[in-house]
Amino acid sequence: MNSITSDATAPAAVSKKLRSYILQNILAMLGTSCYILADTFFISAAEGSGGITALNLVLPLYSLIFAIGSMIGTGSATRYAITKASGSKTCDVYFSNAIFFAVAASIIFILGGSFCPETIIRIMGADDQIAAVGTSYTRIFLVFAPCFMLNYVFTSFVRNDSDPTLAMAATLTSSFSNIFLDYLFMFPLKMGMPGAALATGLSPVISISICTAHFFTKKNTLHLVWSRPSIRRLFRSCQLGISAFIGEMSSGITTTVFNFLLLGLGGNTAVAAYGVTANFALVGTAVFNGIGQGVQPLASEAYGKSDQNGTRLIVRHSALYTAAAAVLVTGAVLLFAEPFVSVFNSEGSAEMAAYAVPGIRLYFLGFLFAGFNIVGTGYLSATAHAKPAFAIAILRGVAAITVFAFLLSRLLGIDGIWLAFPAAELCCLVLTVVFLWRDYQMK
């Protein structure tokens, strides 16, 4: 049998390749989260806590756009990898299908940004003051929705076509370009919030442009084969991308629930404090998304070749990397919570610091468990275990976090809101372990 572990040296080779894929994807995902942090920092410096509040209120819309793009891009690229590994010649049609439906899905966001951005931000909880700050930002970033979605398609397919280095380079270059453009537009050009939105919207355009270089390399086996758009093919892809969708949406759902609860308990200042916590949480999530995305191409290849030894090896190594990352991420925040918060507290607000410092420490305890859930669902999706991946994703991203947020906020107030994340992730970890252990034992 053709297997990625068919000789004595293969396990070491697979382990080395896995480390390389994981490292490159962690760097790429950290680049993405760093530009979001930079966005928050520049907005804080230019607009104060009102700007952070406006940004945090529209973060769920970002999450929805990213979630749809991730579901289509990651799911289609996974189907492409599995189909290609099995020897089928029809694998390329997944690429053109993903491009078509990513553009189609973005149309509603373009219309919303063009015609009713103020209505949208008010629905998200903005009062008159915050709406005045955030309406222009909302309008601009929604119009760039197709670029955000297509970026997921291009980076996922390039990564799964054995070029994770280029995918990483595209993501990092676009992220650092966004940081530079943030500064340029918001300060020398004095464009304020519209400048921040424009800088963010241009970053995926840069990433897509870099990814197109893959089609001119010798390692390229991906071809743009235009065919009639297929809902059936999209559905099959989205089955494997649903955990990525829920993974992206979980931060949006969490942000929405937390925003409304915090508005009632502490007002705009509490929401601004959560905005700081949520942005650092994106960095934590990026680390584990990087591990999950690094695992995915190799897990899909091993699964497509029915290589049971290869998939077991990948499970063991990814669990070790996840554990190490969980300790590092959580430990860093517990030790450096105060300086982290002060970076985004440009007004020196004692009230915001009083909310944010203990809040970020309590919240980040959840990453001791969340990493295993994120990487676990990514592995299950990559190996065509769509139902278990969906069950974990929907529990951690929607059901558990919502229940614990309402329950613990009633019992413990604002501290209960921060603790909802670790409680939900610990609950979901039990299910993740059960599914992975069952899959491991069946091999």
Side-chain angles (χ1 to χ4, degrees):
M1 177 181 293
N2 185 18
S3 167
I4 65 173
T5 58
S6 57
D7 57 68
T9 62
V14 172
S15 178
K16 181 179 179 181
K17 194 173 184 180
L18 182 63
R19 285 198 301 271
S20 175
Y21 272 47
I22 286 175
L23 178 60
Q24 291 180 77
N25 280 282
I26 287 176
L27 289 174
M29 295 304 296
L30 283 175
T32 301
S33 61
C34 283
Y35 89 66
I36 295 173
L37 282 177
D39 210 32
T40 306
F41 172 76
F42 288 127
I43 288 173
S44 170
E47 303 288 346
S49 61
I52 297 179
T53 302
L55 177 63
N56 201 49
L57 290 178
V58 299
L59 276 180
L61 297 175
Y62 270 115
S63 296
L64 181 58
I65 293 170
F66 292 171
I68 295 172
S70 180
M71 178 175 63
I72 295 173
T74 302
S76 299
T78 301
R79 281 293 180 196
Y80 164 81
I82 292 173
T83 306
K84 178 183 173 184
S86 68
S88 173
K89 303 297 183 182
T90 63
C91 55
D92 285 326
V93 296
Y94 285 101
F95 184 43
S96 59
N97 207 60
I99 290 175
F100 175 85
F101 283 105
V103 173
S106 68
I107 292 174
I108 189 171
F109 296 101
I110 297 173
L111 293 175
S114 299
F115 297 107
C116 53
E118 183 175 351
T119 301
I120 290 172
I121 195 172
R122 285 185 181 278
I123 290 172
M124 303 306 294
D127 55 21
D128 290 342
Q129 176 191 356
I130 302 303
V133 173
T135 296
S136 58
Y137 185 95
T138 305
R139 175 186 293 112
I140 293 171
F141 91 78
L142 285 176
V143 170
F144 277 93
C147 301
F148 294 121
M149 292 188 187
L150 285 173
N151 187 40
Y152 272 99
V153 174
F154 276 82
T155 54
S156 295
F157 273 89
V158 168
R159 184 184 305 115
N160 280 20
D161 198 33
S162 303
D163 204 352
T165 302
L166 183 62
M168 176 194 70
T171 304
L172 288 177
T173 303
S174 69
S175 298
F176 290 123
S177 297
N178 184 48
I179 293 172
F180 169 74
L181 292 174
D182 257 330
Y183 170 76
L184 176 65
F185 292 158
M186 294 189 73
F187 293 99
L189 298 182
K190 301 186 184 303
M191 294 174 65
M193 292 290 281
L198 182 60
T200 301
L202 289 174
S203 66
V205 178
I206 295 170
S207 177
I208 292 169
S209 300
I210 294 172
C211 281
T212 57
H214 174 72
F215 298 102
F216 303 98
T217 64
K218 293 181 178 180
K219 66 176 66 177
N220 174 49
T221 63
L222 179 64
H223 303 94
L224 186 59
V225 179
W226 290 106
S227 61
R228 180 179 298 177
S230 170
I231 293 291
R232 180 175 177 272
R233 194 173 294 124
L234 175 70
F235 179 74
R236 293 186 72 242
S237 298
C238 289
Q239 283 181 312
L240 301 185
I242 191 65
S243 63
F245 175 88
I246 299 297
E248 291 286 352
M249 274 305 297
S250 63
S251 62
I253 292 169
T254 301
T255 301
T256 302
V257 172
F258 281 27
N259 281 345
F260 281 104
L261 290 174
L262 287 167
L263 280 171
L265 291 171
N268 287 339
T269 304
V271 173
Y274 177 57
V276 175
T277 302
N279 278 280
F280 277 108
L282 289 175
V283 178
T285 302
V287 172
F288 299 109
N289 279 337
I291 296 174
Q293 290 186 8
V295 166
Q296 185 266 315
L298 296 181
S300 294
E301 180 185 358
Y303 177 79
K305 294 178 177 179
S306 300
D307 180 7
Q308 297 179 354
N309 290 332
T311 52
R312 281 187 167 185
L313 181 68
I314 289 166
V315 169
R316 290 197 301 269
H317 281 66
S318 60
L320 291 174
Y321 297 140
T322 302
V327 172
L328 288 173
V329 167
T330 307
V333 170
L334 291 178
L335 289 173
F336 302 109
E338 291 186 15
F340 284 168
V341 169
S342 66
V343 170
F344 298 97
N345 190 7
S346 62
E347 298 170 320
S349 169
E351 184 183 7
M352 191 178 89
Y355 285 132
V357 172
I360 196 172
R361 284 178 171 146
L362 293 174
Y363 189 94
F364 262 73
L365 293 174
F367 281 107
L368 292 172
F369 320 115
F372 294 98
N373 294 324
I374 293 169
V375 177
T377 53
Y379 168 82
L380 290 168
S381 293
T383 53
H385 292 82
K387 290 182 180 179
F390 174 76
I392 298 168
I394 201 70
L395 180 62
R396 67 177 294 266
V398 180
I401 189 69
T402 302
V403 170
F404 279 113
F406 281 100
L407 177 63
L408 294 179
S409 66
R410 290 291 185 90
L411 297 174
L412 302 172
I414 289 180
D415 284 348
I417 297 176
W418 307 128
L419 286 170
F421 175 64
E425 294 295 344
L426 177 59
C427 175
C428 296
L429 180 60
V430 176
L431 190 62
T432 301
V433 171
V434 168
F435 282 134
L436 288 175
W437 181 252
R438 186 176 67 179
D439 178 69
Y440 191 89
Q441 290 295 99
M442 290 174 65
K443 292 186 178 359

